[in-house]
Amino acid sequence: MLNARKPAGRFAAVASLSAGLLLTSAVTATADEPPSGGAEQCFPNVICAHAGSGGTTATPNPGGNGGRSDGGPELCSYHGVQWACYDPQWGSFDSGEGCYYRELDKQPPADDSAWGTNKPSDGSIYSKVCPQTSGGQDGAQFVFVPTGQRAKSVAELKQEAKDRVHLPAPVGRVAPSGTAVVKAPVWLWAENATPPKPGNATSGGVSVTVTARLTGATWDFGDGRTKECATAGTPYDPKYGGTASPDCGYEFTVGSGTKQNGAFTATVSTHWVADVVVTGPKPEKYTISMPPQDSEPFTVKVAEVQVLN
């Protein structure tokens, strides 16, 4: 359990922190229906968001080296009610208290009343949000946490590592680059589809690495069909002549003459998953889905060849 020493006063007592600590504007504290698998809660100066972040349908993370692939949030429990173990706005959930803790991105000045008698060198100021305490709603407060007293949760480390994976936006390329011909081989490949650097996060003897890998690409030329490729494609080289692409080829069945400017408007989307490896007291390894990355639209001209008898 996380014990905050010398907590600061309620939000109303530390209004001086409102500028730039969590969000720039405050919202009125309200409560919808009592939490039962997830409810929306609004707290002063904290984003109003679904506490479960999809937790009503996600499944808890299996222990050991299970092959998890759903990518859903891990769930924690307090008094029989499930909450996301980590929320991007609220931070990590403490199942002992039923509260979320999040270290402020911008720490207050040393003379701010939030520190009480503590010094910035001794710890950090956290936001503390308790969406369910004694069956009721609690507001947001700022508390001092001594250095080393609170290690980041595994769920928080997983989210941080995932956030540090920056997937590249693909650039669609085709050959021939001038004008393709109906029923002739066309090569497709996506530039800027190299896997990015892995994301890493470490705290309290636990390390998380998230490594993205490409699983395929979808091409859409606006001709009524799409092309699925298992790779990013092979760049064309003149030495290949008129042969077909070995891994990502296409043949148009109609010309683009009737389209605006006589060309198809095309896009390519790359698809990714990421392997998550957790090392520490409870090692894990599983795969999660990552959001697809879309290219900017580009044009492809396709001509129809007329054969004279």
Side-chain angles (χ1 to χ4, degrees):
M1 180 185 299
L2 188 155
N3 297 314
R5 187 178 67 187
K6 295 184 181 299
R10 303 300 263 169
F11 177 78
V14 290
S16 62
L17 292 176
S18 62
L21 292 185
L22 288 178
L23 293 176
T24 57
S25 61
V27 294
T28 303
T30 63
D32 293 332
E33 297 178 359
S36 57
E40 288 190 354
Q41 340 265 329
C42 296
F43 300 100
N45 212 25
V46 178
I47 285 180
C48 177
H50 192 283
S53 299
T56 55
T57 57
T59 56
N61 181 39
N65 296 323
R68 170 177 172 170
S69 61
D70 61 359
E74 293 182 56
L75 301 180
C76 293
S77 178
Y78 180 75
H79 288 184
V81 178
Q82 290 184 322
W83 300 88
C85 292
Y86 175 76
D87 182 273
Q89 282 76 45
W90 296 352
S92 293
F93 190 76
D94 187 317
S95 296
E97 294 185 70
C99 301
Y100 283 94
Y101 283 85
R102 181 179 186 275
E103 185 176 5
L104 300 187
D105 295 332
K106 182 180 180 182
Q107 293 290 303
D111 59 353
D112 195 287
S113 60
W115 294 102
T117 60
N118 302 291
K119 299 178 180 179
S121 59
D122 297 332
S124 301
I125 300 298
Y126 283 68
S127 68
K128 179 182 178 182
V129 175
C130 302
Q132 182 182 337
T133 301
S134 300
Q137 304 295 332
D138 200 3
Q141 65 182 134
F142 299 109
V143 297
F144 172 80
V145 179
T147 299
Q149 181 169 313
R150 181 189 177 277
K152 293 181 179 179
S153 69
V154 176
E156 188 173 0
L157 293 176
K158 290 176 180 177
Q159 186 64 45
E160 285 188 6
K162 180 180 177 182
D163 291 343
R164 289 169 181 165
V165 177
H166 303 294
L167 297 176
V171 178
R173 300 298 187 201
V174 301
S177 59
T179 301
V181 177
V182 169
K183 296 185 179 180
V186 175
W187 288 54
L188 310 176
W189 70 98
E191 291 184 349
N192 201 33
T194 302
K197 293 181 179 179
N200 296 282
T202 302
S203 179
V206 176
S207 180
V208 178
T209 301
V210 177
T211 305
R213 51 188 171 88
L214 184 78
T215 59
T218 301
W219 298 77
D220 188 341
F221 294 98
D223 62 345
R225 298 187 302 156
T226 58
K227 173 66 177 181
E228 301 288 342
C229 295
T231 70
T234 300
Y236 179 76
D237 188 284
K239 67 183 180 182
Y240 299 135
T243 61
S245 170
D247 55 355
C248 193
Y250 192 68
E251 287 188 5
F252 287 93
T253 58
V254 296
S256 60
T258 60
K259 298 293 182 178
Q260 185 177 4
N261 298 323
F264 290 119
T265 298
T267 58
V268 58
S269 298
T270 47
H271 306 294
W272 303 82
V273 296
D275 297 318
V276 181
V277 177
V278 180
T279 59
K282 296 182 179 180
E284 300 176 64
K285 184 177 181 180
Y286 56 91
T287 300
I288 59 174
S289 59
M290 299 291 278
Q293 302 298 303
D294 301 326
S295 72
E296 293 292 334
F298 58 97
T299 58
V300 180
K301 290 188 176 182
V302 182
E304 296 190 43
V305 176
Q306 300 293 330
V307 178
L308 299 178
N309 294 327

